[in-house]
Amino acid sequence: MNPDLAALVRRHLEAENTHDLPGTLATLHPECQFEDFATGQRWQGHDGAAAHYGQWWSTFDVEVRRGPGQRAYVTTDEFYVAEATWHGRHVGPFLGLAPSGRTFAQPFVVILTFRDGLMAGERFHYDLASLLRQIGADPIPTLARLPHRITP
């Protein structure tokens, strides 16, 4: 990966993890796009990015870290595909669920794109049912009775 883009991703993650909105937006192209495939949400531009981060920060007080065995899989000057984990606590309403105060660790895959030396977008893929179970709203109660099930 281009060292300048690698440094951009590091700056972005540092700003994101400290909930520094101006610092986060400074790493994003003005026409950036964010897509959350699990919830079906999509945001565009800096205003959209601010809404996206505001939602995650106020709902989950979340931090992004790479876990054991997680890594970047593809890195080019056009895009970056990687695994990471959201670590957080459910502190605000989410999809109609009142805050539970429960902590969670939710793995995800993200695809970053770049434009004009900035991040042009993020596309998130994760298991929404797993996240909901961790915050206390099991969307599929019968899963708890499956043999060999790993529980959080």
Side-chain angles (χ1 to χ4, degrees), residues 7-29 32 34 46 49-50 53 57 117-119 122:
L8 173 73
V9 171
R10 281 191 301 278
R11 282 194 318 274
H12 176 84
L13 193 55
E14 289 168 6
E16 181 179 340
N17 281 341
T18 60
H19 301 184
D20 171 7
L21 186 58
T24 301
L25 294 178
T27 64
L28 302 174
H29 192 277
C32 60
F34 288 77
H46 279 184
Y53 286 109
W57 294 341
L118 296 169
M119 289 174 51
E122 295 186 54

Side-chain angles (χ1 to χ4, degrees), residues 39 55 58-60 89-102 104 128-140:
T39 64
Q55 174 179 295
S58 66
T59 301
F60 292 118
R89 191 167 48 88
H90 184 206
V91 296
F94 181 65
L95 303 178
L97 299 170
S100 67
R102 292 178 71 172
F104 67 90
L128 182 58
S130 171
L131 176 60
L132 292 174
R133 278 192 303 276
Q134 290 182 73
I135 64 174
D138 199 337
I140 310 170

